[in-house]
Amino acid sequence: MKRQAPRSATALYATAATCAAIGALLWLRSRTGEGPRYSGLLYLSSSDADSYSPSAWRVWSPAMPEERLGLYLLAAALVLALVARLVAVWRE
């Protein structure tokens, strides 16, 4: 019977999955060049919807493009997953 993975490995896997998801979304967003899309129901008035500009939705500083940040997060996710695997093996 296999032992359950330690909590530290589970936390590292969860962090890696979160980094991978955010990194992939940022990378895809930078490739498509589109900001978030919302329906008109989220705006209180049509004037609020007209004032939307994609630049207001920057995730990072202008010095680092979102594509690069997304790739860094994907790389961090891979490293975290590897560390989680090593912790799981080491604790067995």
Side-chain angles (χ1 to χ4, degrees):
M1 178 165 50
K2 279 194 143 193
R3 286 181 34 187
Q4 189 174 3
R7 287 185 181 174
S8 56
T10 304
L12 286 171
Y13 278 128
T15 306
T18 304
C19 284
I22 293 171
L25 288 173
L26 284 174
W27 183 78
L28 285 173
R29 177 179 157 179
S30 70
R31 293 305 229 181
T32 60
E34 296 177 5
R37 287 185 229 153
Y38 294 106
S39 69
L41 296 175
L42 293 178
Y43 296 107
L44 296 175
S45 69
S46 61
S47 63
D48 291 338
D50 293 339
S51 67
Y52 168 77
S53 67
S55 63
W57 292 93
R58 276 206 72 79
V59 175
W60 199 247
S61 75
M64 180 182 291
E66 289 178 357
E67 179 180 9
R68 187 182 302 169
L69 177 62
L71 291 176
Y72 285 161
L73 285 172
L74 287 171
L78 289 174
V79 170
L80 284 170
L82 177 65
V83 169
R85 179 66 183 149
L86 291 175
V87 165
V89 168
W90 177 64
R91 297 278 175 125
E92 285 183 0

